[in-house]
Amino acid sequence: MSFSSHPASSSTASSVSTSSPQASLAQALAPFGWDDAWAAEFTPYAEQGLVAGRVVRVDRGQCDVMTADGIVRADTAFVTPHDPLRVICTGDWAAVEAAGNPRYVKAYLPRRTAFVRSTSSQRSEGQILAANVDHAIIAVSLAVELDLGRIERFLALAWESGAQPLVVLTKADLVPDPVTLGHLVEDVESTAPGVQVLTVSSVTGEGTDVLAAVVAGGTSVLLGVSGAGKSTLANALLGADVMEVQEAREVDGKGRHTTTTRNLLALPGGGVLIDTPGLRGVGLWDAETGVGQVFSEIEEYAEHCRFHDCAHEAEPGCAVLAALDSGELPERRLDSYRKLLRENQRIVAKTDARLRSEIRRDWRLKSAEGRANYAAKRGARS
């Protein structure tokens, strides 16, 4: 690959492609996702003498960065703002000092995608889990009863991030009856419109080749609760026991946190994998678009409602309620849709003063209407 700015003969281009620093950088970092677009973004930092690299792990104010010369340890003090969504994270492309002890990350390139959830703290801050992700692999164990609501929640965050979701049903060998397995897959497919659903078994090897082919073309983040089989799945894709694996409890299928940090690993078949710790809580963070994508059939019904601001509660001419009454739309789906929208609105309201004001105004109007209706009823009785 030549980055020469002027025309060259084929022999010259060949010489440049094997000897220029830019080409060497591209060759070394290509397995980790480096491409021409990232190279163009990095140009001003290269002119400052900084080194390009991808963050493969972050912990305690420092990070491991994969550079053309291998992994370097760097301090993140210069890129640790008050905004938790702007801190450096696994998957970022960083500009690192060429030398020094310690070496510092001076900046990171604008993110193409970012997987964000809300924290469990009372401040309701966003937490970025991974950056520059192409595929969001949602691992779901078949060893326990399917939690379709949780799958929808993961999918909403995945769509909102800009990545393409993929649901992987792990431990498929524990469901030997093909009819039962088929029903489970259908349940998940109906929950995940537009999303590929794969069944995988690390015991039999079923589905791992298909999954490897899917993730070979970019960066994938592996998500799921503890005990979902993420580390086992990562080992299957890596072709080696790189990630430690622990047994899930037989009582409830839950596991301990085998993975405690987010690690970025190059896959032997191509592509990059970010393994994450099991997520106990999966809170939405400004994910209205993602929720709409997960429940795309409800959004389509809503386009035919009589009123453009229909709340799908009791309005006349509501196409969503009509679909519910006819059986086309399962009640569970509509309940889940409403729940996630309400949760997302609460989260956004905590950080958006104007929205908070609008919600309070709507609440006052509804309260006034309620009092007026109550007074009218009392007057009619008397």
Side-chain angles (χ1 to χ4, degrees):
M1 180 184 299
S2 174
F3 289 86
S4 174
S5 59
H6 58 273
S9 66
S10 59
S11 60
T12 302
S14 175
S15 173
V16 170
S17 66
T18 57
S19 60
S20 72
Q22 296 95 332
S24 298
L25 173 67
Q27 185 176 18
L29 293 182
F32 292 88
W34 185 259
D35 56 29
D36 290 348
W38 288 124
E41 290 269 13
F42 194 78
T43 299
Y45 299 107
E47 292 172 351
Q48 298 173 34
L50 297 174
V51 175
R54 192 159 196 193
V55 178
V56 298
R57 176 188 171 107
V58 179
D59 61 275
R60 298 179 182 178
Q62 294 188 312
C63 62
D64 293 335
V65 183
M66 176 59 71
T67 70
D69 296 322
I71 292 180
V72 301
R73 188 74 167 166
D75 196 296
T76 64
F78 282 99
V79 284
T80 308
H82 294 297
D83 184 351
L85 297 182
R86 298 180 63 191
V87 300
I88 196 118
C89 76
T90 303
D92 274 325
W93 283 101
V96 185
E97 289 180 325
N101 187 21
R103 292 170 70 168
Y104 288 94
V105 175
K106 304 296 287 187
Y108 62 83
L109 300 185
R111 294 160 177 159
R112 294 178 182 174
T113 62
F115 194 95
V116 180
R117 68 164 178 173
S118 66
T119 65
S120 58
S121 69
Q122 294 300 314
R123 291 177 295 178
S124 298
E125 295 177 337
Q127 178 189 23
I128 182 164
L129 299 179
N132 303 313
V133 172
D134 301 296
H135 306 284
I137 305 172
I138 302 166
V140 179
S141 173
L142 290 174
V144 294
E145 185 176 354
L146 288 176
D147 186 337
L148 298 179
R150 180 183 288 141
I151 295 174
E152 289 163 343
R153 185 177 290 273
F154 271 112
L155 287 169
L157 293 177
W159 281 122
E160 191 68 32
S161 76
Q164 172 67 45
L166 170 68
V167 178
V168 175
L169 303 178
T170 65
K171 308 180 185 181
D173 53 285
L174 298 180
V175 188
D177 178 28
V179 175
T180 301
L181 183 60
H183 288 320
L184 293 172
V185 172
E186 289 177 4
D187 287 343
V188 177
E189 287 177 338
S190 65
T191 300
V195 176
Q196 185 175 8
V197 179
L198 295 177
T199 56
V200 172
S201 169
S202 59
V203 174
T204 65
E206 174 192 348
T208 55
D209 54 339
V210 177
L211 179 59
V214 171
V215 302
T219 298
S220 302
V221 62
L222 192 52
L223 304 160
V225 299
S226 298
K230 297 186 304 300
S231 295
T232 302
L233 191 59
N235 286 336
L237 292 171
L238 291 163
D241 291 337
V242 176
M243 308 305 295
E244 181 184 355
V245 177
Q246 294 180 350
E247 292 293 332
R249 297 195 301 255
E250 292 185 5
V251 175
D252 54 10
K254 294 182 179 179
R256 290 169 289 177
H257 289 306
T258 303
T259 303
T260 57
T261 58
R262 289 175 281 279
N263 304 283
L264 185 146
L265 305 157
L267 299 173
V272 178
L273 180 69
I274 299 176
D275 191 19
T276 65
L279 300 176
R280 290 191 179 94
V282 194
L284 301 184
W285 177 259
D286 197 3
E288 182 176 355
T289 301
V291 173
Q293 188 75 34
V294 176
F295 299 92
S296 57
E297 80 278 26
I298 297 179
E299 301 267 298
E300 290 173 6
Y301 288 130
E303 292 178 1
H304 301 286
C305 290
R306 181 182 301 177
F307 304 109
H308 75 277
D309 59 348
C310 183
H312 321 307
E313 296 289 348
E315 296 86 348
C318 176
V320 173
L321 295 180
L324 184 68
D325 292 338
S326 68
E328 295 177 58
L329 177 63
E331 187 173 1
R332 190 205 67 79
R333 285 283 283 174
L334 182 57
D335 288 343
S336 185
Y337 174 69
R338 289 168 170 164
K339 177 182 178 181
L340 292 183
L341 281 183
R342 287 195 300 268
E343 177 185 327
N344 189 71
Q345 188 180 50
R346 286 196 301 269
I347 290 294
V348 174
K350 289 182 179 180
T351 57
D352 188 326
R354 186 180 66 179
L355 181 58
R356 285 200 302 272
S357 177
E358 291 175 354
I359 291 174
R360 290 193 186 101
R361 185 176 67 250
D362 290 344
W363 182 83
R364 286 195 296 267
L365 288 173
K366 289 180 180 178
S367 296
E369 290 174 0
R371 288 193 297 270
N373 290 336
Y374 180 71
K377 288 179 180 179
R378 291 191 63 184
R381 287 172 185 161
S382 61

